[in-house]
Amino acid sequence: MTQVEVILKAATQLFAALGYDGTSTRQIADAAGLNIATVSYHVGGKRELYLAVIERAHQAERAALEASLVRFPGAEPAVAIHRLIDDYLDFCVERPEVPALWMHRWLSDAGDLTELEKEYVQPLVAAVATALEPAVGAGAFDPDVDLEYAIWTVIWCVHGFTKGGVLDAEGRRRAGGDRAALRRFRAHLHLTMHRALGLPGQAP
């Protein structure tokens, strides 16, 4: 692993855990086992580091989404939608730092960087909406469904689960790393969206 990769890995972990505002360049350097001068030489200051981390997170998320959406043409709408939900949930469970980074921004983290959602988030939401347009035109959904809000509902729920989890009977948090909790959440999310969209048949 190169020094740049070590730095970006450390920065990603800290930004995901503490947010941009709560993380210092010194913390990143310490976590990477390097000095601040070396970090600055390779990637610049904290702002440049954060932008690089967000870019890498976006590229991973976009690749996963594109791989899922490529299955849409010709697929039965309900099946394709449920596969998309599974793919997105699996991605966020496997890469929990990605939803964590965006959830910090929901709480006004890095407030001076105002264009990231427009540059990274909106195009992905638009890509999903575009992929669903044929199903909307074919009447596969309840016509009263707000498709944009339905997409955001999945995002809100998945991010909340992967970051915050649920409490068990003893008050301990259970999230994506707990197989039973993940299985239960997956079933709940499928049923919720199946009913919210008014899809035909039974939820998987």
Side-chain angles (χ1 to χ4, degrees), residues 53-145:
V53 165
I54 291 293
E55 172 68 22
R56 283 163 63 98
H58 168 72
Q59 292 299 336
E61 188 170 12
R62 187 180 72 175
L65 180 62
E66 289 175 349
S68 185
L69 293 182
V70 77
R71 298 199 302 255
F72 263 63
E76 197 279 317
V79 172
I81 289 166
H82 284 294
R83 284 178 177 169
L84 177 61
I85 290 171
D86 272 333
D87 290 343
Y88 187 66
L89 176 57
D90 289 340
F91 171 79
C92 289
V93 168
E94 292 168 6
R95 299 287 302 271
E97 73 277 8
V98 176
L101 289 165
W102 291 113
M103 286 190 73
H104 277 294
R105 291 192 58 78
W106 293 357
L107 300 174
S108 301
D109 187 46
D112 58 317
L113 299 171
T114 58
E115 298 297 314
L116 298 184
E117 282 73 16
K118 182 178 180 180
E119 182 176 356
Y120 294 126
V121 178
Q122 288 182 322
L124 298 187
V125 173
V128 174
T130 298
L132 292 175
E133 283 177 0
V136 174
F141 299 161
D142 182 331
D144 293 329
V145 168

Side-chain angles (χ1 to χ4, degrees), residues 3-202:
Q3 286 189 326
V4 172
E5 291 170 335
V6 170
I7 293 166
L8 288 174
K9 180 179 179 180
T12 299
Q13 291 171 340
L14 285 167
F15 287 141
L18 305 176
Y20 176 82
D21 297 332
T23 300
S24 70
T25 307
R26 180 170 296 281
Q27 286 174 303
I28 295 170
D30 289 344
L34 302 167
N35 58 52
I36 292 179
T38 301
V39 171
S40 297
Y41 172 78
H42 283 297
V43 294
K46 188 171 84 166
R47 180 188 178 93
E48 290 75 23
L49 259 173
Y50 184 73
L51 292 175
V53 165
I54 291 293
E55 172 68 22
R56 283 163 63 98
H58 168 72
Q59 292 299 336
E61 188 170 12
R62 187 180 72 175
L65 180 62
E66 289 175 349
S68 185
L69 293 182
V70 77
R71 298 199 302 255
F72 263 63
E76 197 279 317
V79 172
I81 289 166
H82 284 294
R83 284 178 177 169
L84 177 61
I85 290 171
D86 272 333
D87 290 343
Y88 187 66
L89 176 57
D90 289 340
F91 171 79
C92 289
V93 168
E94 292 168 6
R95 299 287 302 271
E97 73 277 8
V98 176
L101 289 165
W102 291 113
M103 286 190 73
H104 277 294
R105 291 192 58 78
W106 293 357
L107 300 174
S108 301
D109 187 46
D112 58 317
L113 299 171
T114 58
E115 298 297 314
L116 298 184
E117 282 73 16
K118 182 178 180 180
E119 182 176 356
Y120 294 126
V121 178
Q122 288 182 322
L124 298 187
V125 173
V128 174
T130 298
L132 292 175
E133 283 177 0
V136 174
F141 299 161
D142 182 331
D144 293 329
V145 168
D146 186 317
L147 185 58
E148 183 181 6
Y149 269 51
I151 295 168
W152 275 105
T153 297
V154 174
I155 296 171
W156 295 328
C157 290
V158 171
H159 284 208
F161 175 74
T162 54
K163 176 65 176 175
V166 295
L167 299 179
D168 64 14
E170 286 74 40
R172 294 171 297 191
R173 290 190 181 275
R174 303 292 187 184
D178 185 295
R179 291 185 179 181
L182 176 58
R183 183 170 57 251
R184 186 176 172 187
F185 173 75
R186 188 187 301 275
H188 168 74
L189 184 61
H190 278 296
L191 182 60
T192 297
M193 297 312 301
H194 193 90
R195 291 179 175 175
L197 294 172
L199 295 173
Q202 298 294 317

